[in-house]
Amino acid sequence: MIENFFRSFDGPLTRRLARAPGGLGLGQVPSDLVPVSTTTTVCGYCSTGCGLNVHLGREGAIDLTPDPAYPVNLGVACPKGWEALSVLDSPDRGTVPLLRDRRTGERREIGWAQALGTMARAFADLKSVHGPESAAFLSTGQIPTEEMFLLGALWKFGLGFVHADSNTRQCMATAHVAYKQSFGYDAPPFCYEDFEESDVLVFVGANPCIAHPILWERVMRNRRSPEILVLDPRRTETAQSATRHVRIAPKSDLVLLYAVLRNVIERGWVDRAFVEASTSGFDGLRGFVATISDESALSQAKIPAEDLEALVQAFRPGRRVSCWWTMGVNQSHEAVRTAQALVDLCLVTGNIGKPGTGPNSITGQMNAMGSRLYSNTSGLVGGRDFANPAHRQEVSEIMGIPESSIPVAPSLAYDQILDAALEGRIKALWVVATNPEHTWIGSDTFRKVREKLDFLVVQDMYHSTETAEVADLYLPAAGWGEKEGTQINSERRIGVSKRVKRPPGQALPDFEIFRLLGVASGCGDLVERMSSPEQAFHLMRELSRGRPHDFTGIRDYAQIDASGGIQWPFPEGSITDGIRPGAQNAAGSRESRQGSGRRLFEDGRFFTPDGKARLLYDPPRPPGESPDALYDLVLTTGRGSSSQWHTGTRTEKSAILQAMSPRELFLEMNPDDAASRGLEPGSMVEVASRRGSLTARLVSTPNMAEGVVFLPMHDRRVNVLTFPSFDPHSREPSYKHAAVKVGKGPTKDP
Ligand SMILES: Nc1nc2c(c(=O)[nH]1)N[C@H]1C(S)=C(S)[C@@H](COP(=O)(O)OP(=O)(O)OC[C@H]3O[C@@H](n4cnc5c(=O)[nH]c(N)nc54)[C@H](O)[C@@H]3O)O[C@H]1N2
Ligand SMILES: Nc1nc2c(c(=O)[nH]1)N[C@H]1C(S)=C(S)[C@@H](COP(=O)(O)OP(=O)(O)OC[C@H]3O[C@@H](n4cnc5c(=O)[nH]c(N)nc54)[C@H](O)[C@@H]3O)O[C@H]1N2
Ligand code: SF4
Ligand SMILES: [Mo]
């Protein structure tokens, strides 16, 4: 099978290159660097999902440029996209599986057959001795949907384990649960044209200038002179570009949004007809927000009354208002209700299903949307529920698997899996395309988990990640650009990512690794039904039939590619032409037409049993850990720059991205806070929480409110400080609120 994979790599691409015209008149350029053809693909970092043109030479990809015809990015890309190819060549790419010798502790190279045999035996033994709850996988929103789907199906329907989660829990679980409760389905309603069509844009806990720069480009294309309000405790690049920065105290969003709702209702700015026809729970909501006074909201949010008034005025009738949120909302102890306060505001004012409106969650990783629908972790494949017998029957019929092989209960959530591992109930973990040793919240939980585990498998592009380095077994994976599959962006657009380069050494696409493990584990029947990513896609398509995300109208990858991506829903019989920009027109040519992305809920019908959206709310609560006399500051964390990606495993491999990133960890602090502690701007300071400490370079800046400090998440030490608390509905970690103190650091730089 492995040999077949390599042969297939040398097949179609090589043939295409052989047909392509050579001799481009580039003089002395070595022939392997002369582009002979160009193909399209979609970026593998963030959920914006930009289209890229990859220029191919005889050995594969040489270079890339943003795709001017792709309806998402319209010819631009951020630094990570431009540099996407260069991070694939690096000395710490895994080229061969590594097994740790129990006696010496050294890692040694082994072949794939031994690696997968070892893994299959270890999992089979565990299951037979300790049962189906004794192992779990932790995967990712950063691989194609087909790979997530195959992994989840193999793990639960084939190997027969129950527990699995992914880094999507750290990121999008809140939006998933909020939409599901409110709309009856995890269905982000917007398209990117809404950035251009709004009269008012409200960004809450979102810093798109850094985290989604190409979406900010879309905001800049708005011709309606929009009002832009940014709610963020920091004066971020986005806040600086807004018409108003509401510098709220961390985690005061919920009380503030309820006060806005009360004012909007009191002033009669409710869309009565819409509320009556399309929502449930309005009287309860009105009664509840009546108890939230302006005074309590203003004192908790620590903002002037004019900021509250501006927020209320944003929703006055006759204007198109869109609300956009990301991690400042999702990562909170009361995250789901905060997201739903934005949903409530849009519903009550009728700002949904129309151009320039919507309570809109921007996704994080490039395929967190795919993982929400198909990873088979917290929900059953295809946006279904494990607990629903009708759903289990559908999946059993479509996939041709016995119903008894489908678990009846959802998996434990990420934090519960780690707790179970600490208690010794979960004895093995399989970590795929995520780096929890760096990114999991609070203290050194993952390190303690590692010590308890009998068996840790890590499957990553690089053998050098913090988590791969402590694995018992390391599996070298091909990365973006070295394999194919589809991914779903923030506006529900399915895009195709192509194989444009050969993976290093014996590294294999995750899809092939899952298939090989399936064969080694006696699940050949299951994986044979998914012999290629495109075949898995066809099965996913069948699983979408009749669901809100129905994409049965998609024939194949080629159609998606030629259409410039296809947004779900796209049921059988949908026509591509004229619906979306970039569609294949009647003459068969690909052209970019803007302004025709599709949004949901135009008919005011939702996916709940009564077709009405639910207005949901709860009283605000204090965060899990607040400042006190000893730890007197709030620490918030997030993205530091547009050229750094999470734990840096990829972005640190590009010299260009490195040159654009800060060289050391910096702490942002208000100048008065620095002065009152006698701290010199630019000096090294010590930041400590009850869980640990670190040293960082002090950036004294009025962009920070007094009492709040910020650290970018890209340094491993930062999550030693964060406080492990979780939203009760989504179990998403609250990365953005911990109590710390800051003092003078070592006099000499470390
Ligand atoms: N360059 C780059 N881009 C990325 C990523 C990356 O690592 N690097 N990661 C991608 C991923 S996976 C994600 S999830 C997104 C994240 O994208 P964002 O959510 O935009 O990024 P963050 O910096 O995590 O958080 C956004 C803002 O929330 C603010 N915030 C903190 N606490 C609160 C609060 O209580 N209330 C409010 N209103 N705001 C608060 C922070 O100050 C911060 O400015 O970015 C994606 N894009
Ligand atoms: N303090 C703090 N912590 C945070 C956050 C925060 O705001 N503050 N944000 C959280 C959020 S939103 C997120 S999304 C997480 C992200 O957390 P992680 O997922 O842990 O971070 P990444 O660095 O993206 O790790 C992805 C890993 O996958 C590998 N990889 C990339 N592509 C492939 C592939 O195709 N196959 C395989 N097998 N491996 C691949 C990369 O080399 C890398 O090691 O961090 C969370 N942690
Ligand atoms: S904005 Fe996101 S999808 Fe677009 S090029 Fe940058 S990282 Fe890639
Ligand atoms: Mo994320």
Side-chain angles (χ1 to χ4, degrees):
M1 216 159 133
I2 296 170
E3 288 67 29
N4 279 346
F5 168 73
F6 285 129
R7 262 201 299 280
S8 77
F9 183 82
D10 290 330
L13 180 63
T14 319
R15 278 198 298 280
R16 196 162 66 226
L17 296 188
R19 279 201 310 273
L24 298 177
L26 295 180
Q28 296 307 308
V29 178
S31 64
D32 59 338
L33 293 182
V34 177
V36 289
S37 69
T38 291
T39 190
T40 51
T41 194
V42 180
C43 179
Y45 283 103
C46 88
S47 68
T48 304
C50 296
L52 303 171
N53 285 329
V54 181
H55 311 294
L56 303 162
R58 294 186 192 285
E59 302 289 320
I62 300 171
D63 205 352
L64 61 78
T65 45
D67 183 351
Y70 204 69
V72 165
N73 51 316
L74 314 166
V76 286
C78 87
K80 294 182 299 300
W82 278 100
E83 277 295 287
L85 287 168
S86 65
V87 306
L88 298 175
D89 299 316
S90 160
D92 63 346
R93 281 299 301 273
T95 54
V96 62
L98 303 172
L99 183 67
R100 191 172 304 282
D101 186 312
R102 291 259 163 183
R103 280 172 309 121
T104 63
E106 296 292 307
R107 296 200 288 186
R108 66 185 166 84
E109 299 188 351
I110 56 169
W112 273 110
Q114 188 186 348
L116 294 162
T118 306
M119 198 171 161
R121 251 193 326 278
F123 284 136
D125 289 351
L126 262 184
K127 196 177 151 217
S128 68
V129 179
H130 298 287
E133 301 199 45
S134 58
F137 75 67
L138 296 173
S139 77
T140 190
Q142 295 179 53
I143 55 179
T145 319
E146 292 79 355
E147 296 186 340
M148 301 168 170
F149 171 50
L150 175 53
L151 171 62
L154 174 65
W155 187 247
K156 296 203 174 176
F157 310 151
L159 304 184
F161 287 105
V162 178
H163 300 306
D165 206 351
S166 80
N167 60 10
T168 309
R169 180 76 62 182
Q170 296 162 284
C171 181
M172 301 313 299
T174 291
H176 171 86
V177 173
Y179 280 141
K180 208 169 163 190
Q181 289 181 353
S182 296
F183 297 161
Y185 204 69
D186 178 10
F190 61 99
C191 55
Y192 293 161
E193 279 79 7
D194 290 319
F195 287 115
E196 296 160 14
E197 302 274 331
S198 301
D199 297 316
V200 184
L201 298 105
V202 184
F203 287 90
V204 186
N207 188 10
C209 286
I210 293 296
H212 298 93
I214 303 309
L215 294 184
W216 188 253
E217 295 279 322
R218 299 295 298 260
V219 176
M220 293 297 98
R221 292 167 63 94
N222 186 314
R223 301 264 165 91
R224 306 172 73 90
S225 305
E227 200 182 320
I228 303 174
L229 296 102
V230 172
L231 276 67
D232 197 304
R234 304 158 53 215
R235 190 165 167 77
T236 60
E237 296 75 358
T238 310
Q240 289 170 36
S241 318
T243 50
R244 179 178 291 265
H245 174 209
V246 180
R247 194 165 73 178
I248 60 168
K251 300 304 147 217
S252 63
D253 305 69
L254 190 56
V255 71
L256 179 61
L257 293 171
Y258 285 153
V260 175
L261 259 165
R262 197 201 73 248
N263 277 282
V264 165
I265 294 172
E266 278 176 4
R267 293 179 202 193
W269 293 348
V270 173
D271 184 336
R272 292 243 153 236
F274 182 82
V275 166
E276 185 61 32
S278 299
T279 70
S280 62
F282 179 69
D283 290 342
L285 176 70
R286 182 176 47 198
F288 168 72
V289 295
T291 65
I292 307 283
S293 70
D294 286 357
E295 292 68 37
S296 73
L298 292 173
S299 74
Q300 289 179 59
K302 299 193 178 126
I303 55 166
E306 62 183 69
D307 279 351
L308 173 58
E309 182 58 24
L311 276 166
V312 175
Q313 287 291 339
F315 290 91
R316 72 175 184 267
R319 299 200 294 172
R320 302 167 169 187
V321 189
S322 56
C323 297
W324 307 85
W325 84 84
T326 33
M327 294 308 119
V329 170
N330 282 358
Q331 298 171 340
S332 156
H333 66 291
E334 50 190 11
V336 169
R337 290 294 181 251
T338 307
Q340 286 166 338
L342 293 168
V343 173
D344 293 348
L345 261 168
C346 289
L347 288 171
V348 160
T349 55
N351 275 297
I352 191 159
K354 294 181 276 204
T357 66
N360 302 332
S361 148
I362 304 173
T363 319
Q365 307 167 84
M366 62 60 158
N367 198 22
M369 284 295 297
S371 117
R372 283 150 74 170
L373 281 170
Y374 281 99
S375 66
N376 211 28
T377 51
S378 50
L380 177 59
V381 281
R384 294 179 173 83
D385 295 319
F386 285 102
N388 184 327
H391 285 178
R392 293 200 301 272
Q393 196 189 341
E394 279 167 20
V395 170
S396 136
E397 278 165 15
I398 297 167
M399 294 192 64
I401 53 168
E403 215 180 304
S404 58
S405 70
I406 305 177
V408 297
S411 160
L412 292 177
Y414 205 130
D415 65 305
Q416 298 162 329
I417 288 176
L418 296 187
D419 284 348
L422 285 174
E423 290 161 17
R425 287 183 284 126
I426 285 181
K427 295 171 187 304
L429 280 182
W430 179 10
V431 173
V432 180
T434 183
N435 191 7
E437 170 75 26
H438 177 136
T439 52
W440 187 247
I441 191 165
S443 184
D444 48 359
T445 309
F446 196 84
R447 194 157 289 175
K448 289 188 197 129
V449 165
R450 161 60 289 199
E451 282 162 19
K452 277 292 263 188
L453 289 174
D454 292 346
F455 192 47
L456 173 66
V457 186
V458 175
Q459 182 168 322
D460 202 286
M461 293 167 64
Y462 305 95
H463 61 68
S464 60
T465 75
E466 289 101 330
T467 316
E469 285 203 321
V470 297
D472 297 305
L473 176 63
Y474 163 76
L475 305 177
W480 171 91
E482 297 167 342
K483 55 182 181 180
E484 65 176 4
T486 59
Q487 57 197 58
I488 312 177
N489 80 354
S490 286
E491 54 165 358
R492 312 180 313 284
R493 185 180 299 275
I494 302 169
V496 181
S497 173
K498 291 196 201 134
R499 184 167 55 186
V500 293
K501 214 171 179 309
R502 191 186 172 112
Q506 294 178 29
L508 288 176
D510 296 281
F511 195 85
E512 293 303 320
I513 301 175
F514 302 146
R515 270 172 50 77
L516 289 167
L517 181 74
V519 172
S521 306
C523 303
D525 283 356
L526 182 74
V527 298
E528 261 336 290
R529 252 166 274 145
M530 293 178 250
S531 63
S532 69
E534 194 153 6
Q535 230 186 351
F537 180 83
H538 290 149
L539 202 49
M540 291 177 352
R541 179 182 62 195
E542 284 316 302
L543 285 162
S544 79
R545 193 177 291 280
R547 308 290 302 154
H549 73 280
D550 192 331
F551 55 81
T552 48
I554 300 180
R555 278 189 316 276
D556 52 20
Y557 284 178
Q559 182 194 9
I560 303 174
D561 195 28
S563 307
I566 295 181
Q567 281 180 286
W568 69 252
F570 197 72
E572 213 159 19
S574 306
I575 39 162
T576 327
D577 192 15
I579 297 179
R580 293 162 312 91
Q584 185 108 5
N585 68 15
S589 74
R590 202 167 149 235
E591 56 179 37
S592 181
R593 282 194 299 274
Q594 284 123 47
S596 50
R598 284 182 290 126
R599 55 187 68 80
L600 302 177
F601 311 126
E602 282 173 336
D603 60 357
R605 301 288 298 165
F606 293 84
F607 300 117
T608 49
D610 65 0
K612 295 181 174 189
R614 301 185 191 107
L615 295 161
L616 297 166
Y617 49 88
D618 258 333
R621 292 178 289 118
E625 185 183 65
S626 292
D628 53 29
L630 225 48
Y631 295 88
D632 53 346
L633 297 161
V634 175
L635 168 71
T636 187
T637 64
R639 275 75 200 154
S641 76
S642 67
S643 43
Q644 287 169 291
W645 181 261
H646 299 156
T647 71
T649 64
R650 285 191 273 173
T651 46
E652 282 173 13
K653 308 296 151 53
S654 151
I656 291 175
L657 297 181
Q658 279 294 85
M660 296 171 74
S661 311
R663 245 155 292 165
E664 55 191 351
L665 180 64
F666 58 87
L667 175 88
E668 289 182 17
M669 184 186 233
N670 179 279
D672 290 342
D673 281 337
S676 67
R677 287 167 180 75
L679 303 172
E680 276 296 311
S683 68
M684 294 305 287
V685 293
E686 185 180 22
V687 191
S689 77
R690 288 196 169 77
R691 294 153 293 282
S693 68
L694 56 77
T695 51
R697 175 98 39 207
L698 178 68
V699 174
S700 168
T701 166
N703 293 340
M704 296 302 299
E706 267 182 74
V708 186
V709 291
F710 172 79
L711 285 171
M713 65 168 293
H714 311 293
D715 187 301
R716 191 249 172 263
R717 299 169 295 161
V718 170
N719 275 320
V720 170
L721 304 182
T722 48
F723 177 76
S725 95
F726 304 89
D727 176 87
H729 302 276
S730 67
R731 301 217 66 78
E732 177 156 343
S734 173
Y735 286 107
K736 290 180 165 40
H737 205 279
V740 296
K741 61 182 176 187
V742 178
K744 286 193 176 126
T747 38
K748 278 180 120 189
D749 288 0

